[in-house]
Amino acid sequence: MRAALADLPDGTWTASDVLDSTGPRPEQQRAVSIRLELTVEGSEVTFDFSRTESQQPGNVNAVAAVTASAVAWALRSATDPTIPANGGTQRPVHLVLLPAPSWPLGRRPPSGPGMWR
């Protein structure tokens, strides 16, 4: 992973997207933003979700492990899908998450992947 990251240009990029709603109930009918700042520095990378909206009612929240898994999959897909999926490949990958409760770091009672209701 470090070699694949070292091949990327250093820099910071931002991305954002919006969900139209978080579920079918009236209180869930509002847009919700997810924001990412991605920084590559040498053979390290940081995924900063700290500007993402807070935890939402509905099945759109994720525990930290689900967020980390999604980041690992996206990073391997964008660099080299043959990189083994093991702990060593994640050492140069850093996550910045809002304190719970937040969208990418959910806490009960709102539901989401990997959460119990």
Side-chain angles (χ1 to χ4, degrees):
M1 179 59 74
R2 287 190 186 277
L5 292 173
D7 286 343
L8 299 174
D10 283 356
T12 299
W13 297 268
T14 59
S16 62
D17 204 351
V18 177
L19 288 179
D20 294 332
S21 70
T22 63
R25 296 190 314 261
E27 67 271 17
Q28 296 171 315
Q29 297 302 305
R30 73 172 194 83
V32 178
S33 298
I34 185 165
R35 297 176 188 95
L36 170 67
E37 182 176 280
L38 173 69
T39 301
V40 177
E41 294 182 59
S43 63
E44 307 253 330
V45 63
T46 300
F47 289 78
D48 184 344
F49 291 96
S50 65
R51 292 179 42 225
T52 294
E53 289 195 48
S54 63
Q55 181 169 298
Q56 302 296 311
N59 193 20
V60 296
N61 304 292
V63 295
V66 171
T67 304
S69 177
V71 163
W73 179 85
L75 190 55
R76 287 178 58 226
S77 295
T79 56
D80 180 358
T82 65
I83 294 173
N86 60 45
T89 62
Q90 293 306 107
R91 286 190 193 113
V93 180
H94 310 285
L95 295 179
V96 178
L97 304 173
L98 288 169
S102 65
W103 187 352
L105 186 58
R107 182 187 299 165
R108 292 174 65 162
S111 61
M115 301 179 78
W116 298 98
R117 188 121 165 105

